[in-house]
């Protein structure tokens, strides 16, 4: 009879046992960094139209964290590989200013949209997640 005893499997078993916790920490940190990246890439306000009498309040920018505060929509839900990050504003009129599909005619071509923020950060965020995956699998 042949008996095989493999040493070191206990370390492997322990590593796999800790994997859910490690993945949760890695995905949490990467999602936080992703949301921070979105916030850091909120563009400046465009110049006001000529001859306007409207005085800007800055509320839209503040609601997206442009003034250094926290955006009004800024959350991470889920756990492990099922994390979902949300970034945006809950201002009722924001959709008419920065929503790509509902932007009011007077803002089209002057104001950036949420898609602009996404387009400016997509590659950075994809790279963050690629790096996290490399770390997780030990590459």
């Amino acid at each position: 009879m042949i008996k095989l005893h493999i040493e070191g499997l206990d370390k492997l078993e322990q590593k796999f046992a800790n994997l859910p916790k490690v993945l949760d920490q890695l995905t949490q940190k990467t999602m936080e960094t992703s949301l921070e990246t979105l916030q850091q890439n909120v563009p400046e306000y465009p110049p006001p139209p000529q001859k306007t009498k409207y005085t800007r309040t800055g509320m839209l920018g503040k609601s997206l964290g442009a003034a250094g505060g926290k955006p009004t929509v800024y959350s991470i839900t889920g756990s492990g590989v099922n994390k979902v990050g949300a970034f945006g504003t809950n201002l009722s009129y924001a959709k008419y200013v920065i929503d790509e599909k509902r932007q009011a005619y007077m803002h089209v071509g002057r104001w950036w949209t949420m898609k602009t923020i996404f387009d400016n950060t997509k590659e950075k965020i994809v790279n963050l997640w690629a790096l996290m995956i490399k770390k997780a699998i030990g590459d």
Side-chain angles (χ1 to χ4, degrees):
M1 168 167 50
I2 298 173
K3 289 186 176 184
L4 297 176
H5 176 74
I6 311 299
E7 293 193 22
L9 289 180
D10 54 332
K11 291 179 186 174
L12 182 63
E13 183 179 42
Q14 184 179 13
K15 188 171 185 171
F16 279 113
N18 291 331
L19 191 57
K21 180 181 176 184
V22 170
L23 263 177
D24 192 58
Q25 291 170 342
L26 285 171
T27 57
Q28 180 70 27
K29 179 63 180 152
T30 306
M31 188 62 77
E32 288 170 2
T33 306
S34 297
L35 293 178
E36 289 166 6
T37 301
L38 288 165
Q39 182 178 353
Q40 292 163 358
N41 283 275
V42 172
E44 298 284 325
Y45 274 30
Q50 292 181 345
K51 300 180 184 177
T52 186
K53 293 181 181 183
Y54 176 73
T55 304
R56 290 182 171 166
T57 64
M59 289 301 297
L60 181 57
K62 289 175 190 164
S63 74
L64 289 166
K70 196 163 190 172
T72 55
V73 176
Y74 196 90
S75 66
I76 299 172
T77 56
S79 62
V81 296
N82 296 311
K83 291 250 193 283
V84 176
F87 170 82
T89 175
N90 63 5
L91 282 180
S92 62
Y93 64 84
K95 61 187 166 223
Y96 304 117
V97 182
I98 60 171
D99 184 284
E100 181 184 32
K101 292 185 172 127
R102 298 183 286 179
Q103 193 175 46
Y105 75 91
M106 74 280 287
H107 299 307
V108 174
R110 285 189 350 90
W111 271 89
W112 44 266
T113 64
M114 291 299 288
K115 184 179 182 312
T116 306
I117 298 171
F118 176 74
D119 289 345
N120 291 343
T121 57
K122 181 181 178 183
E123 187 176 335
K124 294 172 191 173
I125 292 171
V126 167
N127 289 338
L128 286 171
W129 287 93
L131 182 62
M132 185 278 296
I133 291 167
K134 274 187 164 186
K135 283 182 183 178
I137 60 176
D139 253 0

